[in-house]
Amino acid sequence: MKDKITQNKKYALFLCSIPGIGVRTRERLLKHFGDAKGIYEGSADELGRVLSDERLKKLLEARRVWKPDEKYDELIRKGINFVTIEEENYPERLRNIADAPYGVFYIGRLPKEDRLSVAVIGARDCSEYGRYVAAELGRRLGSAGIQVISGMARGIDGISQIEALNAGGSSYAVLGSGADVCYPAQNRHIYDRLMEGGGIISTYPPGTAAMPGNFPPRNRIVSGLSEAIVVIEARIKSGTLITVDMALEQGRDVYAVPGRVTDRLSDGCNSLIRQGAEVFISPEKFIDEILERHHMKACNADRKAADAGCGSEKSSGLTMQNGLAEVAGELDFTPRDADEICSRLKNKKTVAEVSAALMQLTLMDIAQQISPGHFVLRKICN
């Protein structure tokens, strides 16, 4: 089975590397031929039934020089992972977005499905106010075990990501270049840290340069991988607001940090608030709100799937099987934070791991956060 998946991926790699072949064209080809290997082996006449003359020419030119085994081995040697939408480990958050990418390249790892993810985006040339908010939010999200998704750009993006890592959390950069191309070059220190504490993600094949046209499609991946988006600073016309539009289309929650009416870097955020975006008050308030919303969504999903309420014994049992019993065992009716729980555990865990466990216990109605970072036991689990 594993060998079959690898063989399919060799041809899928070819399909994702053809210049000028986008998401919708790939979908038409796959529908017609059944799989990537069928496309690679298809006759020019048959391919011509799906492709325009220009795209057919590009595909045939690429196929003449493409050697599936060699190209796939080269990818592995570079330390770049590749997953297609046909595989189980493809990011679930991306499956149902419009124009979901057929293939995703990544270095490091992909975001964990059982943890909340938040996109933090904003101006490259940010103010000191913006820098402060981005750093504080990145730290708080990292400490709470919430994954930070962004684009590793100068300014807001990179600041929030490096601070999340410094706090012991995880972060993931979605690039407008190949995963092996560090852009911007000045953020090399962030790129290197992300490979260890999260991942570098791209829908573009290795070696792809960071071209202006690559970034708007990239933005749908940033929002697609996230449950909520926080815009810290943005001008009234900026690429950041493109991400917001895509986030709204995907049904994601959008928060904007308010700013002074005389500050042009806050025009975009103030305009979003006027249009109905949630107002970002503080990292603590924001984290409380997204935890509550995620909890309510989990409740609704449980009711639909099993006709059972939240915090049922069945749900609690599943949580305990995921290795959270030890953390839950250190909770009682005295408020404790992640640092204190870490010091009490027999099996050592990081603060980020304990914070993530506390978040999951809160979502399952087992723990309750009564003040920022402090938790008590809500109910006893079987």
Side-chain angles (χ1 to χ4, degrees):
M1 183 64 180
K2 185 177 179 181
D3 290 341
K4 183 178 180 181
I5 292 174
T6 300
Q7 284 299 317
N8 289 338
K9 288 174 73 166
K10 291 178 180 180
Y11 295 100
L13 177 60
F14 165 73
L15 184 58
C16 289
S17 303
I18 307 168
I21 302 295
V23 172
R24 294 179 184 177
T25 303
R26 286 191 200 104
E27 288 178 353
R28 291 199 302 271
L29 285 167
L30 287 165
K31 184 177 180 180
H32 185 85
F33 288 93
D35 58 25
K37 184 178 181 181
I39 297 168
Y40 181 82
E41 296 177 343
S43 68
D45 288 343
E46 194 68 18
L47 289 164
R49 296 182 182 181
V50 181
L51 300 174
S52 65
D53 290 344
E54 182 180 355
R55 288 194 173 98
L56 174 61
K57 182 180 179 182
K58 288 181 178 179
L59 188 150
L60 294 176
E61 287 177 351
R63 191 168 68 177
R64 287 190 194 100
V65 298
W66 190 272
K67 297 180 179 179
D69 290 333
E70 290 184 11
K71 289 291 185 179
Y72 188 75
D73 289 344
E74 180 182 345
L75 189 75
I76 299 304
R77 285 197 302 272
K78 287 183 176 180
I80 302 174
N81 302 292
F82 176 59
V83 62
T84 72
I85 199 169
E86 297 156 352
E87 298 176 71
E88 289 184 2
N89 61 325
Y90 182 90
E92 284 299 321
R93 294 179 180 94
L94 294 183
R95 283 192 190 275
N96 297 319
I97 69 169
D99 295 335
Y102 175 63
V104 174
F105 300 89
Y106 64 99
I107 301 174
R109 61 179 185 268
L110 293 169
K112 294 183 178 180
E113 301 289 351
D114 61 350
R115 291 193 184 181
L116 280 169
S117 295
V118 170
V120 182
I121 57 176
R124 288 174 170 80
D125 298 315
C126 57
S127 68
E128 285 303 312
Y129 168 65
R131 293 180 66 86
Y132 174 81
V133 176
E136 186 67 12
L137 177 57
R139 279 196 292 271
R140 295 303 179 92
L141 291 173
S143 296
I146 298 173
Q147 301 170 125
V148 175
I149 313 292
S150 200
M152 208 186 77
R154 288 188 297 108
I156 299 299
D157 292 26
I159 293 167
S160 64
Q161 293 191 274
I162 196 67
E163 291 300 335
L165 295 173
N166 288 341
S170 58
S171 184
Y172 302 83
V174 184
L175 303 186
S177 61
D180 59 337
V181 177
C182 178
Y183 181 85
Q186 69 191 74
N187 278 353
R188 184 77 205 193
H189 64 294
I190 303 177
Y191 180 93
D192 291 341
R193 288 282 304 279
L194 287 168
M195 287 193 291
E196 298 297 326
I200 307 292
I201 300 169
S202 177
T203 59
Y204 299 106
T208 302
M211 304 296 290
N214 293 350
F215 290 91
R218 177 280 303 263
N219 293 345
R220 84 187 192 284
I221 308 301
V222 173
S223 57
L225 286 171
S226 310
E227 274 84 18
I229 317 296
V230 179
V231 184
I232 292 181
E233 283 187 326
R235 297 183 184 277
I236 200 67
K237 292 183 179 180
S238 68
T240 297
L241 299 188
I242 296 175
T243 308
V244 171
D245 289 340
M246 293 178 175
L248 292 172
E249 290 176 3
Q250 295 165 352
R252 302 326 193 225
D253 295 324
V254 175
Y255 286 74
V257 176
R260 294 176 298 186
V261 296
T262 56
D263 190 346
R264 300 287 72 85
L265 280 170
S266 291
D267 283 348
C269 290
N270 292 339
S271 177
L272 287 173
I273 293 169
R274 185 170 182 268
Q275 295 172 49
E278 300 283 350
V279 181
F280 181 92
I281 302 298
S282 69
E284 296 85 1
K285 179 68 173 174
F286 168 72
I287 291 172
D288 285 345
E289 287 185 8
I290 61 170
L291 285 173
E292 179 64 23
R293 290 188 181 192
H294 189 74
H295 174 58
M296 292 304 296
K297 289 178 182 178
C299 286
N300 292 334
D302 283 347
R303 290 191 184 101
K304 291 178 181 178
D307 194 26
C310 294
S312 66
E313 289 187 7
K314 180 179 179 182
S315 295
S316 300
L318 289 173
T319 303
M320 293 303 100
Q321 290 173 14
N322 288 335
L324 303 181
E326 188 178 6
V327 174
E330 296 301 331
L331 291 173
D332 53 28
F333 302 105
T334 301
R336 293 193 175 95
D337 62 14
D339 285 311
E340 183 178 354
I341 293 172
C342 271
S343 67
R344 297 165 65 96
L345 292 174
K346 293 180 179 179
N347 297 318
K348 295 300 181 184
K349 297 182 183 296
T350 66
V351 172
E353 288 172 336
V354 171
S355 296
L358 288 168
M359 180 183 71
Q360 185 66 25
L361 291 168
T362 301
L363 294 178
M364 301 310 299
D365 220 15
I366 295 167
Q368 180 180 6
Q369 185 174 204
I370 62 169
S371 64
H374 289 79
F375 297 79
V376 295
L377 184 68
R378 179 188 284 271
K379 57 177 286 186
I380 298 175
C381 304
N382 295 327

